[in-house]
Amino acid sequence: MLFQNTGLTRAMYQFFQTLIYVAPATLFAVSLHEFAHAWVARLCGDDTADSKGRLTLNPFSHVDPFGAILLLLTGFGWAKPVPINPNRMRNPRTGVIWTSLAGPASNLLIAFVMMIPFRILESIPISSEAMYNTLSIIYSILYFFILVNIGLAVFNLIPIPPLDGSNILLGFLPYKAIYWVQQHRQVISFVFLILIFSDFLDTPLSYLQQLIFKGFMFLTNWVPLMVSGLTG
């Protein structure tokens, strides 16, 4: 018992927890996010991402090592940007907005969909220890899957270059403001990185992540009632 309570053992447990639960969720969330960008860009008339092999769910086509490590450690991160050419879109301004929005939207959508089996599992009556152990593992997988997808969406909706939120915001700004942002893009991105590594954004981002999680819980309150009716 003394050995089990050491800091080293807790650190090892957290590491393996991350490896087993968070890493697969991260790979899927990043792949879905970038696939959605490429897919919507294709719908808008731009096949640049498709021609470069980015219209795929293969995680190795999308993962940015640094962004993936940050996502694993903090719950917030990014992938390799999907290349797009607004000039090839039927309507460049709205095309960029929809393409940028597609990534975060896909993560929020899959997180909400996975909330349904998550709520089902927490409502199922436990009849044995083996059943409890099995369902606990599946429950944890779904829990981290939902959190990672919400975290990726929230982070990328920040309206600061090079994140998706900046492209969405620029789509609604006058051209003079867009030009100013483009001229100062590197400075803005550098300041943003400082904010990330100073943990300044951790609290507001975590708050938004939990707020969305609780919102999805509220929207699926019908699931436990349904399970109770079926098992009761």
Side-chain angles (χ1 to χ4, degrees), residues 13-226:
Y13 173 78
Q14 291 174 353
F15 171 77
F16 284 113
Q17 183 184 59
T18 298
L19 191 64
I20 294 171
Y21 298 131
V22 181
T26 299
L27 289 176
F28 181 86
V30 166
S31 302
L32 178 65
H33 184 103
E34 300 305 328
F35 171 82
H37 283 316
W39 182 61
V40 173
R42 187 71 180 83
L43 291 178
C44 292
D46 176 25
D47 63 350
T48 303
D50 189 9
S51 66
K52 294 184 180 298
R54 300 297 299 278
L55 189 61
T56 175
L57 286 172
N58 181 356
F60 298 105
S61 298
H62 303 298
V63 169
D64 175 89
F66 182 73
I69 291 172
L70 192 65
L71 186 61
L72 283 171
L73 296 178
T74 68
F76 306 100
W78 59 83
K80 290 189 294 186
V82 164
I84 65 170
N85 185 351
N87 294 325
R88 304 185 70 174
M89 295 179 175
R90 287 182 290 274
N91 188 324
R93 190 157 182 142
T94 57
V96 170
I97 292 174
W98 286 115
T99 300
S100 300
L101 188 61
S106 67
N107 293 124
L108 291 176
L109 178 61
I110 195 66
F112 179 75
V113 170
M114 289 298 102
M115 182 63 76
I116 296 174
F118 178 79
R119 298 302 304 273
I120 291 175
L121 284 180
E122 71 175 10
S123 307
I124 295 177
I126 305 298
S127 57
S128 67
E129 183 177 352
M131 182 180 181
Y132 171 81
N133 292 333
T134 302
L135 293 183
S136 293
I137 294 173
I138 301 173
Y139 183 87
S140 296
I141 292 173
L142 289 173
Y143 174 75
F144 285 107
F145 183 91
I146 293 167
L147 279 186
V148 166
N149 275 277
I150 294 175
L152 185 62
V154 167
F155 184 82
N156 277 276
L157 284 173
I158 298 174
I160 296 177
L163 300 178
D164 298 326
S166 66
N167 293 324
I168 297 170
L169 177 62
L170 291 178
F172 295 97
L173 294 179
Y175 286 104
K176 187 175 181 179
I178 295 174
Y179 178 78
W180 185 91
V181 172
Q182 295 296 345
Q183 289 292 105
H184 299 84
R185 187 182 183 92
Q186 289 186 339
V187 175
I188 295 172
S189 298
F190 179 72
V191 173
F192 180 56
L193 283 175
I194 293 176
L195 292 177
I196 292 175
F197 288 110
S198 65
D199 296 334
F200 180 81
L201 296 175
D202 282 4
T203 299
L205 290 177
S206 296
Y207 174 79
L208 287 173
Q209 184 185 40
Q210 290 299 321
L211 186 65
I212 294 173
F213 185 89
K214 291 177 181 178
F216 286 173
M217 289 279 286
F218 175 78
L219 292 174
T220 54
N221 276 340
W222 54 272
V223 175
L225 296 176
M226 181 189 70

Side-chain angles (χ1 to χ4, degrees), residues 3-15:
F3 174 76
Q4 292 178 350
N5 289 326
T6 63
L8 178 61
T9 304
R10 287 195 299 271
M12 290 177 62
Y13 173 78
Q14 291 174 353
F15 171 77

